Amino acid sequence: MHEIGIVRSMCKTLMDYAAENKIDKIEEVVCQVGELSLVIPQYLEEIYPVVVADIPLLKDAKLILETVPG
């Protein structure tokens, strides 16, 4: 399951961006997932709350997944 690595990488990118731009709260995260990407959106939804639970900046942020056609 490579989705956990994707979510961790996404969180690192968000935290770096927030630090550079002095952002102290993120309310929602929009992620586009391509139909041909071999990423399973359901896995992202299940893993996301576990990964962000210990990240104050992201723990209350809602994950929104958008599907991009192949």
Side-chain angles (χ1 to χ4, degrees):
M1 176 186 315
H2 63 281
E3 284 80 4
I4 192 164
I6 292 169
V7 173
R8 285 182 176 163
S9 178
M10 179 177 63
C11 289
K12 177 162 179 10
T13 300
L14 290 166
M15 291 186 300
D16 291 347
Y17 182 84
E20 290 173 12
N21 294 282
K22 298 180 175 125
I23 296 170
D24 59 357
K25 182 172 182 162
I26 296 177
E27 294 183 8
E28 62 184 32
V29 176
V30 179
C31 180
Q32 295 182 332
V33 180
E35 287 181 334
L36 304 177
S37 68
L38 301 177
V39 174
I40 301 171
Q42 179 184 349
Y43 290 173
L44 292 177
E45 291 173 337
E46 291 173 2
I47 293 169
Y48 177 79
V50 175
V51 173
V52 302
D54 295 330
I55 305 172
L57 177 71
L58 296 170
K59 72 177 184 174
D60 295 323
K62 178 181 177 185
L63 178 63
I64 299 170
L65 297 177
E66 297 177 348
T67 302
V68 178

